Coordinates of all heavy atoms in Angstrom, one line a residue:
W504 N 5.4 18.2 -9.2 CA 5.5 16.8 -8.9 C 4.7 16.0 -10.0 O 3.6 16.4 -10.3 CB 4.8 16.5 -7.6 CG 5.7 16.8 -6.4 CD1 6.4 15.9 -5.7 CD2 5.8 18.0 -5.8 NE1 7.1 16.6 -4.7 CE2 6.7 17.9 -4.7 CE3 5.3 19.3 -6.0 CZ2 7.1 18.9 -3.9 CZ3 5.7 20.3 -5.2 CH2 6.6 20.1 -4.2
G505 N 5.3 15.0 -10.5 CA 4.6 14.0 -11.3 C 3.9 14.6 -12.5 O 4.5 14.9 -13.6
A506 N 2.6 14.8 -12.4 CA 1.8 15.2 -13.5 C 2.2 16.6 -14.1 O 2.6 17.5 -13.3 CB 0.3 15.3 -13.1
A507 N 2.1 16.7 -15.4 CA 2.6 18.0 -16.0 C 1.6 19.1 -15.7 O 0.4 18.9 -15.5 CB 2.6 17.8 -17.6
T508 N 2.1 20.3 -15.5 CA 1.3 21.4 -15.2 C 0.7 22.0 -16.6 O 1.1 21.5 -17.6 CB 2.1 22.6 -14.6 OG1 3.0 23.0 -15.5 CG2 2.8 22.0 -13.4
Q509 N -0.2 22.9 -16.5 CA -0.8 23.5 -17.7 C 0.0 24.6 -18.2 O -0.4 25.2 -19.2 CB -2.2 24.0 -17.3 CG -3.2 22.8 -16.9 CD -4.6 23.3 -16.6 OE1 -4.8 24.5 -16.5 NE2 -5.5 22.4 -16.4
H510 N 1.1 25.0 -17.6 CA 2.0 26.0 -18.0 C 2.8 25.6 -19.2 O 3.0 24.4 -19.4 CB 2.9 26.5 -16.9 CG 2.1 27.0 -15.7 ND1 1.3 28.1 -15.8 CD2 2.1 26.6 -14.4 CE1 0.8 28.3 -14.6 NE2 1.3 27.4 -13.8
P511 N 3.3 26.5 -20.0 CA 4.3 26.1 -21.1 C 5.4 25.3 -20.5 O 5.8 25.5 -19.4 CB 4.7 27.5 -21.6 CG 3.6 28.5 -21.2 CD 3.1 28.0 -20.0
Q512 N 6.0 24.4 -21.3 CA 7.0 23.5 -20.9 C 8.2 24.3 -20.4 O 8.9 25.0 -21.2 CB 7.4 22.6 -22.0 CG 8.2 21.4 -21.6 CD 7.3 20.4 -20.7 OE1 7.5 20.5 -19.5 NE2 6.5 19.6 -21.3
P513 N 8.6 24.2 -19.1 CA 9.8 25.0 -18.7 C 11.0 24.1 -18.7 O 11.0 22.9 -18.7 CB 9.4 25.3 -17.2 CG 8.6 24.1 -16.8 CD 7.9 23.6 -18.0
P514 N 12.2 24.8 -18.7 CA 13.4 24.0 -18.5 C 13.4 23.5 -17.1 O 13.0 24.2 -16.1 CB 14.5 25.0 -18.7 CG 13.9 26.3 -18.4 CD 12.5 26.2 -18.9
T515 N 13.8 22.3 -16.8 CA 13.7 21.7 -15.5 C 15.0 21.2 -15.0 O 15.9 20.8 -15.8 CB 12.6 20.6 -15.4 OG1 13.0 19.5 -16.3 CG2 11.2 21.1 -15.8
I516 N 15.1 21.1 -13.7 CA 16.3 20.5 -13.0 C 15.8 19.4 -12.1 O 15.1 19.7 -11.2 CB 17.1 21.6 -12.2 CG1 17.4 22.8 -13.1 CG2 18.3 21.0 -11.6 CD1 18.0 24.0 -12.3
S517 N 16.2 18.2 -12.4 CA 15.8 17.1 -11.5 C 16.6 17.1 -10.2 O 17.8 17.3 -10.2 CB 16.0 15.8 -12.2 OG 15.2 15.7 -13.4
L518 N 15.8 16.9 -9.1 CA 16.5 16.8 -7.8 C 16.0 15.5 -7.1 O 14.9 15.1 -7.3 CB 16.0 18.0 -6.9 CG 16.4 19.4 -7.4 CD1 15.9 20.4 -6.4 CD2 18.0 19.5 -7.4
D519 N 16.9 15.0 -6.3 CA 16.6 13.8 -5.6 C 16.3 14.1 -4.1 O 16.6 13.4 -3.2 CB 17.8 12.8 -5.6 CG 18.0 12.3 -7.0 OD1 17.0 12.1 -7.7 OD2 19.2 12.0 -7.3
L520 N 15.6 15.2 -3.9 CA 15.3 15.7 -2.6 C 13.8 15.6 -2.4 O 13.0 16.2 -3.2 CB 15.7 17.2 -2.4 CG 17.2 17.4 -2.6 CD1 17.4 18.9 -2.4 CD2 18.0 16.7 -1.5
D521 N 13.4 14.9 -1.3 CA 12.0 14.8 -1.0 C 11.6 15.9 -0.1 O 11.5 15.7 1.1 CB 11.7 13.4 -0.4 CG 10.2 13.2 -0.2 OD1 9.4 13.9 -0.8 OD2 9.8 12.3 0.7
L522 N 11.5 17.1 -0.6 CA 11.2 18.3 0.2 C 9.8 18.4 0.7 O 9.5 18.8 1.8 CB 11.6 19.6 -0.5 CG 13.0 19.7 -1.0 CD1 13.3 21.0 -1.7 CD2 14.0 19.6 0.2
F523 N 8.9 18.1 -0.2 CA 7.4 18.2 0.2 C 6.7 17.0 -0.4 O 7.2 16.3 -1.3 CB 6.8 19.5 -0.4 CG 7.5 20.7 0.0 CD1 8.5 21.3 -0.9 CD2 7.2 21.3 1.2 CE1 9.1 22.5 -0.5 CE2 7.9 22.5 1.5 CZ 8.8 23.1 0.7
T524 N 5.5 16.8 0.0 CA 4.6 15.8 -0.6 C 3.3 16.5 -1.0 O 2.6 17.0 -0.1 CB 4.3 14.6 0.3 OG1 3.8 15.1 1.5 CG2 5.6 13.8 0.6
A525 N 3.0 16.6 -2.2 CA 1.7 17.2 -2.7 C 1.4 16.6 -4.0 O 2.2 16.8 -5.0 CB 1.9 18.7 -2.7
G526 N 0.3 16.0 -4.1 CA -0.1 15.3 -5.4 C -0.2 16.1 -6.6 O -1.2 16.6 -6.9
G527 N 0.9 16.3 -7.3 CA 0.9 17.0 -8.6 C 0.8 18.5 -8.5 O 0.7 19.1 -9.5
R528 N 0.7 19.1 -7.3 CA 0.5 20.5 -7.2 C 1.8 21.3 -7.2 O 2.8 20.8 -6.7 CB -0.2 20.8 -5.9 CG -1.7 20.3 -5.8 CD -2.3 20.8 -4.6 NE -1.6 20.3 -3.4 CZ -1.8 20.8 -2.2 NH1 -2.7 21.7 -2.0 NH2 -1.2 20.3 -1.1
P529 N 1.9 22.4 -7.9 CA 3.1 23.3 -7.8 C 3.2 24.0 -6.5 O 2.2 24.4 -6.0 CB 2.9 24.3 -9.0 CG 1.4 24.4 -9.1 CD 0.8 23.0 -8.7
W530 N 4.4 24.1 -6.0 CA 4.7 24.8 -4.8 C 5.7 25.9 -5.1 O 6.7 25.7 -5.8 CB 5.3 23.9 -3.8 CG 4.4 23.0 -3.1 CD1 3.5 22.1 -3.6 CD2 4.1 23.0 -1.7 NE1 2.8 21.5 -2.7 CE2 3.1 22.0 -1.5 CE3 4.6 23.7 -0.6 CZ2 2.6 21.7 -0.2 CZ3 4.1 23.4 0.7 CH2 3.1 22.4 0.8
Y531 N 5.4 27.1 -4.6 CA 6.4 28.2 -4.9 C 7.6 28.1 -4.0 O 7.5 27.8 -2.8 CB 5.7 29.6 -4.6 CG 4.7 29.9 -5.7 CD1 3.4 29.5 -5.7 CD2 5.2 30.6 -6.8 CE1 2.5 29.8 -6.7 CE2 4.3 31.0 -7.9 CZ 3.0 30.6 -7.8 OH 2.1 30.9 -8.8
V532 N 8.7 28.4 -4.5 CA 10.0 28.4 -3.8 C 10.0 29.7 -2.9 O 9.8 30.8 -3.4 CB 11.2 28.4 -4.7 CG1 12.5 28.4 -3.9 CG2 11.1 27.1 -5.6
P533 N 10.3 29.6 -1.6 CA 10.4 30.8 -0.7 C 11.6 31.6 -1.2 O 12.6 31.1 -1.7 CB 10.6 30.2 0.7 CG 10.3 28.8 0.6 CD 10.5 28.3 -0.8
L534 N 11.4 32.9 -1.1 CA 12.5 33.8 -1.4 C 13.7 33.5 -0.4 O 13.5 33.3 0.8 CB 12.1 35.3 -1.2 CG 11.0 35.8 -2.2 CD1 10.6 37.2 -1.8 CD2 11.5 35.7 -3.6
M535 N 14.9 33.5 -0.9 CA 16.1 33.2 -0.1 C 16.5 34.4 0.7 O 17.5 35.1 0.3 CB 17.2 32.6 -1.0 CG 16.7 31.4 -1.7 SD 16.0 30.1 -0.7 CE 17.5 29.6 0.2
V536 N 15.7 34.8 1.7 CA 16.0 36.0 2.5 C 15.9 35.5 4.0 O 15.0 34.8 4.3 CB 15.0 37.1 2.2 CG1 15.2 38.3 3.2 CG2 15.2 37.6 0.8
H537 N 16.8 36.0 4.8 CA 16.8 35.8 6.2 C 16.5 37.1 6.9 O 17.5 37.9 7.1 CB 18.1 35.1 6.7 CG 18.0 34.7 8.1 ND1 16.9 34.0 8.7 CD2 18.9 34.8 9.1 CE1 17.2 33.8 10.0 NE2 18.4 34.2 10.3
P538 N 15.3 37.4 7.2 CA 15.0 38.8 7.6 C 15.0 39.0 9.2 O 14.8 38.0 9.9 CB 13.5 39.0 7.1 CG 12.9 37.6 7.1 CD 14.1 36.6 6.9
L539 N 15.1 40.2 9.6 CA 15.0 40.6 11.0 C 13.9 41.6 11.1 O 13.8 42.6 10.3 CB 16.4 41.3 11.3 CG 16.4 42.1 12.7 CD1 16.2 41.2 13.9 CD2 17.7 42.9 12.8

């Protein structure tokens, strides 16, 4: 979100989805698995 991270510049995909709100912090994407 917003502020640049300290990681090397990654390729990015812009999305118009307000999935989370967190001031500038990176959030890990959950693994796309539906477990039993």
Side-chain angles (χ1 to χ4, degrees):
W504 282 263
T508 67
Q509 297 178 353
H510 299 299
Q512 196 65 260
T515 59
I516 305 170
S517 294
L518 296 178
D519 294 327
L520 300 176
D521 185 18
L522 299 180
F523 304 98
T524 56
R528 293 184 300 167
W530 282 60
Y531 286 88
V532 178
L534 295 175
M535 302 306 291
V536 173
H537 187 43
L539 166 65

